[in-house]
Amino acid sequence: MIQKSSGSSRRILTYPAIHPCDSISPSTLLNSLIDLGGDICSYKSKVFSVNKRNAREMFRQIANLLFFLQEIRDTTLDLPHPVILSLSELHLTLQKIRCLLEDCTRDGTRAWMLVNSDQAANQFRIVIRGLATGLDVFPLSTFDMSNEAKDLVELIIRQARKASFEPDPDDKKAVKDLMRILNHFEEGIAPDSIEIRRILDHLGIHKWSSCNKEVKFLDSEIGTEFSNGENKTNLELLCSLMGFMSYCRCVIFDTVDFESQHLNGQCSNISKDLKGINVDDLKCPISLEMMSDPVTLSSGHTYDRCSILKWFRSGNATCPKTGEKLTSTELVPNLVLKGMIEQYCAENGIPVVVSRGKNRDISRRAMAGSSAGEGAMKMLAGFLINKLVNGSGEEMKKAAFEIRVLTKTSIFNRSCLVESGTIPHLLKLLLYEDSNTQENSIAALLNLSKHSKGKCVIVENEGLDLIVHVLRKGLKIEAQQHAAATLFYLASVEENRVLIGENPEAIPGLVELVKNENHHCKRNALVAIFGLLVHPENHWRVLASGVVPLLLNLLRDSEREDLVTDSLAILATLAEKIDGTVAILRRGALQLLVGILNTSTSRTGKEYCVSMLLALCVNGGLDVVARLVKIPSLMGSLYSQLSEGTSQASKKASAIIKILHQFYENNSSSASVTPVLPREQFVHVW
């Protein structure tokens, strides 16, 4: 009757439960209750890192309750209707018990459950009282059952009322030890590794991968707390715990085990779930863009938070998709969909979209969030530097990997590692004759190149030549694609665009990578080339590399919208100069561009098409205009951009329409020109 709740879609330490409907039959409710009790008992086989004693007592009480309920089912054919009240209360309580047991056994939450062991113990106390309340109103006198069953009910009620459900003494000691270590981090004192191991042993965290799950869960909780503006004390504690677990992951565990994880920390089992996903389902029905913060309305439909809030602010109180009036404007975060979107973006090389108006999230990434978290990270940076300088080959490899993981999401981590001097040592590892070491080092440098000071340090330490070396001769294709992405971030600085362009291997290396079958390679190389074109002197270098025919072939053959858009961006930029226009026209691109404009579903792609067509008209002269006038489908697509396109696309489409109209009017006597529209429909638009 009621589905099992998902640990990944429900926030920890929350206990959603619903009353069974009033019209449910007593027998159906009883069977559902027995199934729910059996489900709860299945948690006996799981690991409880905290509240072990309370969990054992809870299982004992539920086993007694199940015995009683099963006897009712076996001995009573027709349940009286008054029993529904009692069974409904029991059903509600058992739902909460199951959520509580989920929390106590959920992977990655052990550190957070430890510091909240008092709250969890109190919840055990509350739900067991709920069990007694539900049985109190049970109409025992209406049932013909054994005295043993009736005595059992009274026993459950009596024990439920007097049960203390206090936190385990071992949990209290572990919390005290953990808080002492967090204080050490605040004071800049290195904690005792024996004491850390004792805490980890208590939590049952014995591997790198288990520790990494803790870090990922804490990071997710921090993001939720921060975006919701909730309890600041909770937020600081979460940040402190994340610093502690990050420190443990790097310092305590010598071996990195992956357990079905890719190197970037993403679980491979999610990839299987994405195979049947329609990308449109990941886009907001209002903005038509990939959602960054999906929320679900009472209508059951999901929208990006910023889009639906704008809808509400405009005075609408309906579901945009169905038009039905909403009973509530409450927004429920769709965490499952958010995870799928992030996974899809990661697998397809798409930058994870940051919702507009979420500058607070950026700031939380730039700060440690707590003094203990800051101290832990600074201490950890010093530890990793020591391993890069004085460690064995294996220790250097692991240090490079840990830096890669630490710098992936946190701006503060990047800042600490840049300041501590990791970049020169990572650059040296690019020449290391080990493919994994080289890949981890260039991936770490990619993340550090996103930091403003990191860009300068890379260039000052002659890192450009080393990065280009990996681009051309990387030991793994993944290393080459990371090198291309690193050049993209470095190219955000004008001086670096000049230096990269002057390196004779850089642009040819990027163009060569576009030929690779790997989607990520193509994408990273394309965006890097586009970034380099901001510097005018790189224009002729990109043209000389032979990129135009390559990109036009990609437009013809690729089914990936992102690759098509990136290719159009480069071609549109090249077309702004006459030599670029000539190179594009020589390859017969006009019909191809009009076809993309007619069929593309990407607003950005259409805008680049319009930009390129305008540049070709301006630089290519009347010959180009004459050929465009003869393409019947063009004018309709241009007019649609006036109302549906971006502001820039609208202006440029308007300019092309004017050029085409003027050409037709000036050459209306020529029989060689076929009108696009009847003369009376010509309109000058600006």
Side-chain angles (χ1 to χ4, degrees):
M1 184 186 77
I2 184 166
Q3 293 183 343
K4 185 172 181 179
S5 59
S6 168
S8 61
S9 60
R10 175 181 61 84
R11 283 201 71 188
I12 197 166
L13 298 174
T14 60
Y15 308 101
I18 56 171
H19 272 287
C21 64
D22 295 336
S23 60
I24 190 170
S25 72
S27 59
T28 300
L29 184 53
L30 178 63
N31 286 327
S32 178
L33 196 54
I34 291 172
D35 290 343
L36 188 52
D39 192 14
I40 288 170
C41 289
S42 71
Y43 280 86
K44 281 184 183 178
S45 61
K46 299 192 177 184
V47 176
F48 285 80
S49 59
V50 295
N51 273 285
K52 298 184 183 74
R53 188 172 59 184
N54 292 335
R56 284 196 298 270
E57 175 62 20
M58 182 61 72
F59 288 131
R60 192 174 68 81
Q61 297 282 21
I62 296 300
N64 288 337
L65 178 66
L66 274 177
F67 178 82
F68 167 66
L69 295 175
Q70 286 165 347
E71 174 153 335
I72 293 175
R73 184 174 63 180
D74 295 341
T75 60
T76 308
L77 296 176
D78 189 21
L79 291 171
H81 202 268
V83 81
I84 284 185
L85 175 61
S86 173
L87 296 184
S88 293
E89 287 301 318
L90 290 173
H91 200 282
L92 194 74
T93 299
L94 261 60
Q95 290 177 56
K96 294 178 181 178
I97 291 172
R98 184 174 63 183
C99 287
L100 180 58
L101 296 175
E102 268 184 6
D103 288 346
C104 290
T105 58
R106 186 169 154 191
D107 242 3
T109 66
R110 296 181 180 186
W112 187 233
M113 286 302 295
L114 175 64
V115 297
N116 285 284
S117 54
D118 281 356
Q119 182 180 340
N122 185 55
Q123 190 63 30
F124 271 107
R125 197 178 305 115
I126 291 170
V127 293
I128 201 69
R129 300 289 188 273
L131 212 59
T133 302
L135 289 172
D136 261 343
V137 296
F138 193 89
L140 271 176
S141 59
T142 61
F143 287 88
D144 183 19
M145 61 176 62
S146 67
N147 289 331
E148 181 185 4
K150 292 180 180 180
D151 290 342
L152 189 58
V153 172
E154 292 174 2
L155 177 66
I156 295 171
I157 294 172
R158 190 165 56 250
Q159 290 184 339
R161 287 205 171 116
K162 72 176 185 179
S164 59
F165 284 101
E166 297 295 330
D168 287 0
D170 289 344
D171 291 346
K172 287 185 174 182
K173 184 179 183 306
V175 171
K176 187 176 178 181
D177 292 342
L178 177 56
M179 292 305 168
R180 184 167 56 252
I181 289 174
L182 296 182
N183 287 333
H184 286 336
F185 283 137
E186 286 187 26
E187 297 163 4
I189 302 170
D192 184 349
S193 61
I194 295 175
E195 195 169 21
I196 291 178
R197 287 184 185 277
R198 189 162 57 241
I199 295 171
L200 294 176
D201 286 343
H202 176 77
L203 294 174
I205 299 173
H206 305 298
K207 297 183 293 184
W208 185 96
S209 58
S210 299
C211 200
N212 191 46
K213 288 176 184 176
E214 297 284 320
V215 173
K216 290 170 69 177
F217 165 76
L218 291 167
D219 186 49
S220 173
E221 282 294 293
I222 290 168
T224 304
E225 289 277 358
F226 204 101
S227 62
N228 292 344
E230 294 183 8
N231 193 312
K232 285 189 176 180
T233 303
N234 266 1
L235 186 57
E236 287 185 7
L237 183 55
L238 283 164
C239 292
S240 297
L241 284 178
M242 186 168 176
F244 169 74
M245 295 309 302
S246 296
Y247 183 90
C248 293
R249 186 182 63 189
C250 297
V251 176
I252 301 300
F253 299 104
D254 298 326
T255 305
V256 177
D257 63 299
F258 293 108
E259 287 195 347
S260 302
Q261 294 179 28
H262 297 304
L263 200 56
N264 61 9
Q266 302 293 338
C267 290
S268 58
N269 61 347
I270 300 180
S271 301
K272 296 174 185 175
D273 295 337
L274 288 176
K275 287 183 179 176
I277 288 293
N278 183 342
V279 182
D280 289 338
D281 294 335
L282 308 181
K283 296 179 178 179
C284 175
I286 298 173
S287 67
L288 303 181
E289 301 289 344
M290 198 75 76
M291 288 183 277
S292 62
D293 188 11
V295 291
T296 302
L297 302 183
S298 58
S299 65
H301 292 284
T302 299
Y303 303 88
D304 208 7
R305 184 185 294 272
C306 61
S307 297
I308 195 63
L309 286 177
K310 190 181 291 184
W311 173 264
F312 289 153
R313 287 190 208 108
S314 300
N316 300 298
T318 58
C319 174
K321 206 165 186 182
T322 64
E324 68 177 278
K325 191 172 174 100
L326 296 171
T327 56
S328 165
T329 56
E330 181 185 2
L331 305 178
V332 179
N334 193 327
L335 301 181
V336 173
L337 184 59
K338 184 175 183 179
M340 294 174 72
I341 291 169
E342 289 174 353
Q343 179 66 13
Y344 177 83
C345 291
E347 291 189 358
N348 292 279
I350 301 170
V352 177
V353 191
V354 178
S355 181
R356 290 176 291 279
K358 279 208 163 187
N359 294 329
R360 291 185 303 165
D361 190 58
I362 295 172
S363 66
R364 78 102 174 168
R365 297 284 185 183
M367 299 183 295
S370 71
S371 299
E374 181 177 351
M377 187 57 220
K378 288 180 177 177
M379 209 171 290
L380 183 52
F383 171 84
L384 292 170
I385 275 287
N386 181 56
K387 293 299 181 184
L388 288 176
V389 176
N390 302 314
S392 64
E394 286 301 313
E395 288 173 330
M396 284 192 293
K397 287 165 63 175
K398 182 172 185 289
F401 172 70
E402 295 289 3
I403 293 170
R404 174 185 184 175
V405 174
L406 286 167
T407 56
K408 184 169 183 181
T409 55
S410 172
I411 299 171
F412 176 76
N413 290 355
R414 292 172 197 159
S415 178
C416 281
L417 290 162
V418 169
E419 294 292 342
S420 65
T422 58
I423 287 177
H425 303 290
L426 289 171
L427 287 170
K428 290 176 184 176
L429 288 182
L430 295 183
L431 298 175
Y432 206 74
E433 289 299 319
D434 177 85
S435 60
N436 288 331
T437 302
Q438 186 186 70
E439 183 196 350
N440 287 327
S441 300
I442 189 63
L445 287 165
L446 163 60
N447 294 332
L448 293 172
S449 70
K450 299 172 185 178
H451 189 275
S452 55
K453 187 176 178 182
K455 296 177 177 65
C456 299
V457 177
I458 289 173
V459 174
E460 288 169 1
N461 285 273
E462 300 179 351
L464 274 180
D465 289 343
L466 291 169
I467 292 167
V468 172
H469 167 76
V470 175
L471 176 73
R472 297 305 303 263
K473 300 178 181 179
L475 299 175
K476 292 172 74 174
I477 195 65
E478 290 82 4
Q480 291 179 287
Q481 76 186 39
H482 293 321
T486 307
L487 290 179
F488 166 74
Y489 284 104
L490 293 176
S492 63
V493 177
E494 176 59 31
E495 294 81 359
N496 294 347
R497 287 195 285 270
V498 176
L499 293 173
I500 296 169
E502 289 175 349
N503 186 308
E505 296 289 310
I507 291 176
L510 291 170
V511 172
E512 194 64 30
L513 211 56
V514 175
K515 299 176 184 177
N516 194 282
E517 291 301 315
N518 184 292
H519 166 69
H520 300 306
C521 283
K522 288 180 184 291
R523 186 90 205 278
N524 289 356
L526 288 170
V527 296
I529 292 169
F530 182 66
L532 291 173
L533 282 172
V534 177
H535 178 56
E537 282 300 306
N538 288 331
H539 180 96
W540 68 266
R541 295 187 178 105
V542 172
L543 275 179
S545 69
V547 76
V548 170
L550 182 63
L551 295 183
L552 291 175
N553 286 335
L554 199 152
L555 291 180
R556 292 186 183 96
D557 303 334
S558 180
E559 296 179 357
R560 300 197 67 105
E561 190 175 276
D562 52 353
L563 293 182
V564 170
T565 300
D566 293 336
S567 300
L568 288 169
I570 294 172
L571 290 168
T573 306
L574 292 173
E576 290 173 2
K577 295 188 178 181
I578 292 177
D579 52 354
T581 292
V582 171
I584 292 169
L585 290 175
R586 279 178 178 169
R587 296 283 170 173
L590 280 181
Q591 193 71 46
L592 174 64
L593 295 177
V594 174
I596 294 172
L597 180 61
N598 292 340
T599 60
S600 177
T601 58
S602 166
R603 293 181 76 198
T604 307
K606 287 177 180 287
E607 180 175 343
Y608 283 129
C609 272
V610 172
S611 296
M612 200 183 332
L613 287 171
L614 179 59
L616 295 176
C617 286
V618 172
N619 294 330
L622 295 179
D623 179 60
V624 173
V625 179
R627 289 154 65 187
L628 288 177
V629 165
K630 294 179 181 179
I631 302 177
S633 61
L634 174 60
M635 192 64 80
S637 295
L638 291 174
Y639 270 111
S640 70
Q641 286 301 296
L642 297 181
S643 57
E644 300 171 8
T646 64
S647 59
Q648 286 297 315
S650 176
K651 289 177 183 177
K652 291 177 180 180
S654 174
I656 298 174
I657 291 170
K658 182 176 181 180
I659 290 171
L660 296 178
H661 282 170
Q662 286 178 339
F663 177 84
Y664 178 77
E665 288 173 354
N666 292 337
N667 297 273
S668 56
S669 59
S670 172
S672 63
V673 179
T674 304
V676 180
L677 290 173
R679 184 177 179 85
E680 60 270 17
Q681 292 186 29
F682 284 178
V683 180
H684 291 292
V685 182
W686 274 107

